[in-house]
Amino acid sequence: MNHFRFAGPSGLAVTAAIVLAAGGAGTAAGTGDAAGAEPAGAGPKSLLEAALEGPLADVREVVFATRRAYDDPHWYANIGYYCDDERRKAYHGNGKPDASALWRLELRSGRASKLLDAGGGTVRDPQVDYDAEKVLFSWRKAGSDPFHLYEVRLDGAGLRQITSDEYDDYEPTYLPDGDIAFVSTRCRRWVNCWMTQVGILYRSDPDGGNVRPISANTEHDNTPWPMLDGRLLYTRWEYVDRSQVEFHHLWVMNPDGTGQTVFYGNQHPHIVMIDAKPIPGSNKIVASFSPGHGANEHGGHATIVSPETGPDDRGAARRLHGGRLTRDPYPLSEDCFLLAREDEVLLMDGAGKAQVLHTHRDPDGAKAGAHEPRPVQRRPRERVIPERRREGKATGTMVLTDAYNGRNLPGVRRGEIVKLLVLESLPKPVNFSGGPDLTSWLGTFTLERVLGTVPVEEDGSACFEVPAGRQVFFVALDENDLSVKRMQSFTCVMPGETLSCGGCHEHRTLAPEARHRGTLQALRRRPSRIEPFEGFPDVLDFHRDVQPILDARCVKCHGFERRDGRVLLEGDLGAEWSLSYYSLFAHRQVADGRNGLGNQPPRTIGSSASPLLKKVDGSHHDVRVSPREWRTLWLWIESGAPYAGTYAALRNEAAQRREHGAAARILGAAGDVLVRRCRGCHAPGSERAIPCSAERRWQQDRSKIGRPTAVHERIVLEDDPLARFGAPILLNLSRPHLSPIVLGPLAREAGGFGSCGEVFRDRNDPDCRRLVAAIQAAKEQVDVEPRYATPGFRPNAQYVRELKRYGALPASFDPAHDPLDVFRTDQDYWRLLATPPEVSF
């Protein structure tokens, strides 16, 4: 790599000039004047020289940002603070000064000069306006938390702040009518599987007024950018009843939030498609395809996507390059792209050949990466799409053309679907882990509100109102209210919008089949209103709603005394959930999304696939529940079968350490008992043990092999048997003497299960007493603060902090003394997020 140094006035960066990334000799950015550059016309033209005669002919400069990397590995965790400790920041250096600035790179001389110094804060996401006179960007000033939107002229004058408030505003883009679209944490929610805040899409006037949301995701929507037809192209991350790390793909919407639909990739897992932009002169786009669950700073491979063959054609995506990850691709044509890579600004052609335009070095020697290169170039405004939403209206309308039109619907006959169940995925006001914690056992990551049902006509059509600005999804039901097909994605309508779809996971490249002459049956009447389930909770809680039914109908045969079928349905608490909750899933009595892939076959999720409902209809030992009890069980299953029906149950890091440490404390006090009395039968490879490889497969891909049946009868005792994965089912932290790890080896005559023979003949066995005493000591340490579903439970300080911040709790609320109904408080929080806020559906 040949470097060329340019002298310049104070403030000019010492830069590396143009270098062929493919390994060829370096050439100067200019026309031959720089030291060491070859004379013009000697040899083939460099990429830059060719581009300056083509797509870059009218471009003198490129604007780019520099900043230091943030520490979190996730692509989105670069704003705000961490939920457990607001003093711990997600942005660079946990709040330490950043070496960040906006720069202007002169293409013909190679000189880079500062446009704006962030003063120890951080700047990001520059966007040059249509007239190439101003730059819109996001700036977090030193000593403050939030990013706000700013604008500055390209000569450095006229700096003005556009947005303010306590929330982060970032990734802005100009809209052709003069407004601004951007990402913001004003949505007041947290990542469902991490400890940082969520940003979704907003829109404002040019001066930052009239801010309103244009998306409703419970997870991130990112990097909006206008397409040539006027719609916004953006990244949507979602996982409704499917894997939290697989689906982050490209969507489009009108700039007012209407018409949200997939652009590319929603059927294909294991990639983050982000920073997408339209390629001038074509209908193609370029995006960064970041591998797996995404890389820090959106690092990926620049990839061109052609939309002609539809959003599901893997062959429509063509990677521009391999090797090291790049970021922030900006297209000038199908054969010319600006990108950033580490501390470099690159130029790349359509074959993936790259040339380094600039290697950033701050004058003070600070190391900072290069980001978001944008050409200073006048460009035409995109088409202006007229506003279609009606502000102040609480609902929109959904039109379904044909519920039987779709992929993966084998065996579903016409006339079988008679209703749609309408559900809403609910945002989280806090979160503390990468899993669902007490919301579920690796099933749903969010609580799912039951809104009610709407009819489906004989021709498969439906037309109904849904609450506006909310994340809703559907389950097709048969005449017995059993699930036929689950959506495993979501949709959203804006106020007053009418949105239509062709079917259930229908092929997006095909028009609806013209099966009927004339108007759809559902359009011959007014839109249906959702019929709620009056008298039932809309958000279910296992302890409050389901356990009483199990106590009344099931525990007689499935309690500690009998445990028929080795199924235990007592509500005692284990190390995570209750023993009954764990047992229902371990014995496959409930079928949820299993954190797997989407578009599962019919009748594999929900009520029709859950044996529990069949066991209470009178066919299982004459157990017959009342109609109200059946409906409660049905509502619980169809709403994702949650454990805790409130986000107040989510455990902060201290509570997780305390409860996860129960197994370690027991091992420390009585681990030798397990080694001497149990390991002989439960060692790896024994007939009572799950082979290690099978255990790992279950942990890594539960979606394929399901939860193991009666797992607590076949336990592997390795060096750390309880902490490994047995603590949730082996320990009873309500009544330690009834822990399965005690009852299994205890003789039947002594009140045990006897499933291990008579390892302990009676409870006076010294080892049995030691084991019970160790579990009792662990319980006492866990109960330092009352656990969820126990008397005296109080939500953690972070939940109270955020609910005060959002206005769902008064600032004067005293968590130590004031009464608190956590279910009602959650509802108050969700009500604040409604569109419009004062209207509830």
Side-chain angles (χ1 to χ4, degrees), residues 52 56-62 105-109 376-377:
L52 289 173
L56 290 177
D58 61 346
V59 178
R60 294 184 56 194
E61 296 178 325
V62 168
L105 173 65
E106 297 178 10
L107 291 179
R108 288 163 179 79
S109 70
V376 178
Q377 180 184 45

Side-chain angles (χ1 to χ4, degrees), residues 161-499:
Q161 184 172 344
I162 297 174
T163 62
S164 57
D165 217 329
E166 60 182 309
Y167 302 105
D168 287 283
D169 301 325
Y170 55 107
E171 296 176 352
T173 186
Y174 289 108
L175 297 178
D177 65 356
D179 279 4
I180 297 169
F182 57 98
V183 178
S184 180
T185 60
R186 297 166 186 262
C187 55
R188 296 173 288 184
R189 59 199 64 175
W190 292 74
V191 174
N192 301 326
C193 63
W194 201 236
M195 298 85 79
T196 53
Q197 296 170 65
V198 164
I200 63 172
L201 302 189
Y202 280 74
R203 177 175 173 166
S204 77
D205 297 340
D207 61 359
N210 192 25
V211 176
R212 64 272 196 199
I214 56 174
S215 69
N217 203 343
T218 61
E219 274 299 355
H220 278 276
D221 291 327
N222 283 97
T223 60
W225 202 274
M227 298 183 67
L228 300 180
D229 63 7
R231 294 181 297 167
L232 277 178
L233 179 64
Y234 67 102
T235 296
R236 179 165 113 173
W237 179 21
E238 57 155 275
Y239 43 101
V240 176
D241 299 320
R242 58 179 180 170
S243 170
Q244 85 271 29
V245 295
E246 301 284 358
F247 298 95
H248 354 59
H249 299 105
L250 299 179
W251 287 67
V252 289
M253 64 165 67
N254 297 324
D256 63 355
T258 61
Q260 296 180 26
T261 189
V262 65
F263 181 82
Y264 185 75
N266 196 42
Q267 295 286 324
H268 304 313
H270 208 60
I271 199 77
V272 175
M273 303 175 185
I274 200 160
D275 288 309
K277 301 172 188 67
I279 298 175
S282 80
N283 64 348
K284 301 175 183 178
I285 63 100
V286 66
S288 178
F289 276 33
S290 192
H293 188 36
N296 182 286
E297 294 286 13
H298 302 181
H301 296 99
T303 302
I304 294 177
V305 177
S306 303
E308 291 92 343
T309 54
D312 305 320
D313 180 13
R314 291 182 184 271
R318 179 177 68 86
R319 181 186 288 187
L320 275 179
H321 65 89
R324 287 186 291 166
L325 301 183
T326 62
R327 54 180 175 253
D328 310 317
Y330 190 104
L332 294 117
S333 73
E334 289 191 58
D335 196 42
C336 186
F337 304 87
L338 293 169
L339 305 94
R341 182 181 64 195
E342 298 173 358
D343 57 358
E344 299 170 331
V345 176
L346 302 180
L347 185 68
M348 184 175 289
D349 67 13
K353 184 179 180 181
Q355 185 173 351
V356 178
L357 301 182
H358 174 75
T359 300
H360 180 73
R361 295 290 186 270
D362 261 358
D364 60 3
K367 178 75 171 178
H371 300 265
E372 299 110 15
R374 316 290 196 219
V376 178
Q377 180 184 45
R378 292 176 63 89
R379 54 194 171 92
R381 293 176 185 265
E382 300 84 8
R383 171 180 170 237
V384 175
I385 299 176
E387 187 93 2
R388 297 179 181 178
R389 54 193 279 168
R390 293 166 56 192
E391 298 298 344
K393 188 171 175 57
T395 64
T397 302
M398 287 289 305
V399 177
L400 169 64
T401 302
D402 186 357
Y404 304 96
N405 173 32
R407 289 166 288 188
N408 207 9
L409 287 172
V412 178
R413 302 181 307 277
R414 286 202 164 267
E416 193 171 347
I417 298 172
V418 300
K419 297 178 186 175
L420 295 180
L421 175 66
V422 186
L423 298 145
E424 177 186 2
S425 187
L426 295 167
K428 284 182 171 179
V430 291
N431 202 59
F432 305 98
S433 71
D437 192 41
L438 297 188
T439 301
S440 75
W441 177 26
L442 206 58
T444 181
F445 280 71
T446 66
L447 295 174
E448 299 174 356
R449 171 188 276 153
V450 180
L451 296 178
T453 60
V454 295
V456 174
E457 305 296 337
E458 291 183 1
D459 64 352
S461 65
C463 177
F464 52 96
E465 292 184 352
V466 291
R470 312 255 280 272
Q471 180 175 316
V472 297
F473 61 102
F474 313 116
V475 181
L477 303 176
D478 65 16
E479 62 182 356
N480 297 312
D481 278 0
L482 296 180
S483 57
V484 177
K485 180 72 172 179
R486 198 168 180 93
M487 186 171 176
Q488 294 190 272
S489 183
F490 77 88
T491 189
C492 170
V493 296
M494 291 292 113
E497 177 188 8
T498 297
L499 183 67

Side-chain angles (χ1 to χ4, degrees), residues 584-782:
L584 286 173
F585 286 97
H587 291 272
R588 302 181 186 179
Q589 296 303 298
V590 177
D592 62 4
R594 299 180 294 277
N595 200 36
L597 302 183
N599 197 16
Q600 294 298 308
R603 301 189 183 278
T604 58
I605 300 176
S607 54
S608 61
S610 297
L612 175 62
L613 280 184
K614 297 181 177 65
K615 286 185 167 63
V616 296
D617 64 0
S619 62
H620 176 70
H621 302 289
D622 297 323
V623 174
R624 186 182 298 277
V625 297
S626 69
R628 180 176 181 83
E629 289 172 325
W630 187 91
R631 181 61 70 187
T632 299
L633 293 174
W634 180 88
L635 288 167
W636 174 67
I637 290 170
E638 291 298 354
S639 61
Y643 177 65
T646 169
Y647 290 136
L650 296 175
R651 299 169 298 173
N652 61 19
E653 293 181 16
Q656 291 181 59
R657 286 193 300 268
R658 188 166 57 247
E659 295 178 29
H660 292 165
R665 288 189 287 271
I666 294 167
L667 288 175
D672 64 303
V673 172
L674 301 178
V675 172
R676 288 186 290 100
R677 306 297 293 273
C678 304
R679 187 181 172 91
C681 292
H682 292 276
S686 72
E687 63 179 12
R688 291 182 180 270
I690 299 174
C692 293
S693 59
E695 180 186 339
R696 283 194 293 269
R697 285 201 307 273
W698 166 62
Q699 290 178 320
Q700 292 171 0
D701 194 358
R702 194 167 60 85
S703 66
K704 290 184 179 179
I705 66 174
R707 300 176 176 89
T709 300
V711 66
H712 53 289
E713 302 303 327
R714 304 178 65 224
I715 295 298
V716 178
L717 292 186
E718 295 191 343
D719 293 337
D720 195 5
L722 294 178
R724 186 175 178 86
F725 83 111
I729 49 169
L730 294 177
L731 302 180
N732 185 333
L733 296 182
S734 295
R735 295 180 284 179
H737 66 288
L738 296 180
S739 293
I741 201 170
V742 174
L743 297 179
L746 182 63
R748 286 184 179 273
E749 294 75 11
F753 297 157
S755 53
C756 296
E758 297 183 355
V759 176
F760 302 145
R761 290 184 178 274
D762 56 46
R763 289 187 178 274
N764 290 322
D765 184 299
D767 283 340
C768 181
R769 296 172 65 180
R770 279 187 60 201
L771 189 55
V772 171
I775 300 172
Q776 178 64 40
K779 166 183 164 54
E780 292 172 0
Q781 293 184 51
V782 167

